[in-house]
Amino acid sequence: MGKRFRLEFCVFARKAVDSLCRIAFLARLLSAAGLSSMTAAHLPAVKSANREFGLLKGADAILVRRRVDRWLTCAPVITATFLSKISIPPFGALGLSLAIPQLCLAAAVGVLSGRLLFDARRLQFYILLLSFMALVQVTRGDNYSLPSLLLFGALHFPYVLSLTGRPDYKKVLAFFQNVALVIAILGILQYSIQFAIGSKFAFPLENFFPEPFLVSKFNQQGYLEYGSDVYRANGVFMLEPSFFSQFLAVAIVVEAISFRRLWVFGIFFTGMVVCFSGTGLMLLAACLPCLAIAKRRFDLLAAGAVGLAAVIFLAMLIDHPFLNVFFKRANEFSATGSSGFARFVGGFYLFEQFLWPEPLRGLFGFGAGSLQAYQQKATLPSGGNAFFKMVFEFGIVGGGLYFIFLYYCLARSAAPVMIRVAVGLTYFLSGVYIPFSHALALALVVWPNPPQITKSEVEDNE
């Protein structure tokens, strides 16, 4: 067994190294052909190009350019919220929304209009990542899903782009916050009016929109708890309460960094309460303490700790259903039949059952699109969040390369650090092929913030 594994691994590694060398050479040729990153040498050309747009010049060109830039920064937010449930047959039954082609369409419009430019380093990394994954599928000789691999490539292609110049980032954040306010208010009203008009009218898309045109395989209309006839709010348009909660958590981080309006904080936190989802709270638990420390607001950090302790103490004294729901969800990590266990714990049991017994599988995975079949064979339920899916299908090597690619794309942006962290955490709370995290990354981090011009890049162009 050990000798056969070493021989198989050596043959595979040799093919992989040879192919990756060719891929790197191709990427360098593309870079030399003009697909270069935004460096100091490009800034004068960008300023000159901003005064022209197609046949338009001067003030008209600047006006049209600004409108296109605004549409490009708004489109991902709209797809992640108002259009996230919409699909067309037969893709809706597969759990795929129109948000994926809409993001690709926005990227194509940006490239064709000259408002989105390729970043050479991200492009090289993207080609390396996609080629490595395709290479593994072919050389291993196992069954894999070509549509899954193509979908992966299409969904991550927009990451190699960024807007020409830099738009008013405060306006970008303001639009995002306005959309979050609308979604939060709708969620609060949705939870409240179900007691007056019934859940059927409080959840109109789930009950009145044609089912073939809705995305399935999501808990869009989830009960408050087992045996309850009360539903958790999903903000009307969000895929499920979990994404509603994560969206508001990111909005809270953005509000804390930028506008700091108390009444907005109140609406966002109320929205998070009525969705009864722990994923947004997990995101806030990771971001808000770091933000308070970075801003040297140790008073807020202490107040938050005292408030949390008070809530826990109150829950121990008072047997109230409203408080019990939150603390029952905290126990889901150890309850094998719960969504929390499947999403965050079950995948490790899946690894232990199928992945780790075969070393080569552990390194390079079972192949694109294989996770669902093995989930049905598993002894314990498991979810398909980005970490479990990428490691299971592409192994430690492929999964690690993927997360390094994501980190590079987010870290290379000039967006505030905590916004990058908040958006980055959403990847580990949802699936790879769910466009929610990708849309947030493109709207807040990747597209409106060209790569930072490093000292080495300036020196290279002198």
Side-chain angles (χ1 to χ4, degrees), residues 149-189:
L149 195 61
L150 293 176
L151 180 61
F152 177 89
L155 192 55
H156 291 83
F157 170 74
Y159 283 85
V160 305
L161 306 170
S162 61
L163 278 168
T164 306
R166 184 174 300 177
D168 188 341
Y169 192 58
K170 195 165 186 178
K171 290 183 178 179
V172 174
L173 296 182
F175 177 79
F176 179 82
Q177 294 302 87
N178 289 336
V179 172
L181 274 172
V182 171
I183 297 294
I185 293 172
L186 287 175
I188 295 169
L189 292 175

Side-chain angles (χ1 to χ4, degrees), residues 127-459:
I127 294 174
L128 176 66
L129 172 66
L130 203 61
S131 302
F132 173 81
M133 290 182 170
L135 177 67
V136 170
Q137 314 306 306
V138 174
T139 55
R140 287 300 310 276
D142 294 331
N143 293 327
Y144 68 95
S145 172
L146 180 60
S148 177
L149 195 61
L150 293 176
L151 180 61
F152 177 89
L155 192 55
H156 291 83
F157 170 74
Y159 283 85
V160 305
L161 306 170
S162 61
L163 278 168
T164 306
R166 184 174 300 177
D168 188 341
Y169 192 58
K170 195 165 186 178
K171 290 183 178 179
V172 174
L173 296 182
F175 177 79
F176 179 82
Q177 294 302 87
N178 289 336
V179 172
L181 274 172
V182 171
I183 297 294
I185 293 172
L186 287 175
I188 295 169
L189 292 175
Q190 181 184 48
Y191 180 79
S192 304
I193 65 176
Q194 69 175 313
F195 299 103
I197 64 175
S199 59
K200 185 176 181 179
F201 294 97
F203 294 81
L205 290 179
E206 289 81 357
N207 294 287
F208 296 105
F209 203 79
E211 187 175 350
F213 293 91
L214 285 176
V215 179
S216 61
K217 297 188 176 181
F218 290 92
N219 188 22
Q220 297 181 358
Q221 196 171 346
Y223 287 109
L224 188 62
E225 59 180 336
Y226 182 77
S228 174
D229 58 353
V230 178
Y231 290 95
R232 297 182 288 150
N234 61 18
V236 178
F237 295 101
M238 303 301 289
L239 268 175
E240 60 181 31
S242 175
F243 295 109
F244 179 43
S245 177
Q246 294 174 49
F247 186 70
L248 294 185
V250 174
I252 289 172
V253 173
V254 171
E255 190 68 26
I257 291 173
S258 55
F259 305 103
R260 303 184 186 92
R261 297 165 293 184
L262 292 179
W263 65 274
V264 174
F265 282 121
I267 293 176
F268 288 160
F269 277 112
T270 303
M272 292 192 68
V273 168
V274 298
C275 72
F276 293 91
S277 176
T279 52
L281 295 176
M282 293 169 61
L283 195 153
L284 288 181
C287 291
L288 290 186
C290 296
L291 187 59
I293 294 172
K295 298 292 183 181
R296 297 185 180 277
R297 293 299 306 270
F298 300 105
D299 55 334
L300 295 179
L301 191 64
V306 171
L308 180 61
V311 171
I312 296 175
F313 182 72
L314 187 64
M316 295 173 61
L317 293 179
I318 303 175
D319 186 20
H320 193 280
F322 187 81
L323 294 173
N324 290 341
V325 170
F326 276 102
F327 287 94
K328 283 181 180 178
R329 297 192 69 82
N331 295 326
E332 286 188 356
F333 295 104
S334 58
T336 56
S338 66
S339 61
F341 179 89
R343 180 177 293 185
F344 301 111
V345 181
F348 293 107
Y349 289 93
L350 190 72
F351 292 167
E352 186 175 351
Q353 184 176 355
F354 297 109
L355 198 64
W356 304 145
E358 300 183 48
L360 198 62
R361 299 288 193 190
L363 287 174
F364 302 107
F366 279 88
S370 61
L371 177 63
Q372 187 174 2
Y374 284 91
Q375 284 176 327
Q376 296 173 356
K377 302 175 184 178
T379 55
L380 292 173
S382 62
N385 70 37
F387 175 75
F388 292 145
K389 183 173 179 65
M390 293 305 300
V391 173
F392 189 86
E393 295 188 356
F394 299 101
I396 296 175
V397 179
L401 189 62
Y402 171 71
F403 288 113
I404 293 173
F405 170 75
L406 285 182
Y407 172 79
Y408 182 77
C409 291
L410 298 182
R412 193 163 162 77
S413 170
V417 174
M418 289 314 303
I419 292 181
R420 284 182 272 165
V421 171
V423 171
L425 288 175
T426 62
Y427 287 98
F428 297 93
L429 302 174
S430 59
V432 174
Y433 297 129
I434 300 173
F436 173 76
S437 299
H438 304 290
L440 293 187
L442 295 177
L444 297 177
V445 180
V446 179
W447 283 1
N449 285 279
Q452 301 178 16
I453 300 174
T454 63
K455 183 178 179 181
S456 61
E457 289 175 327
V458 175
E459 293 173 350

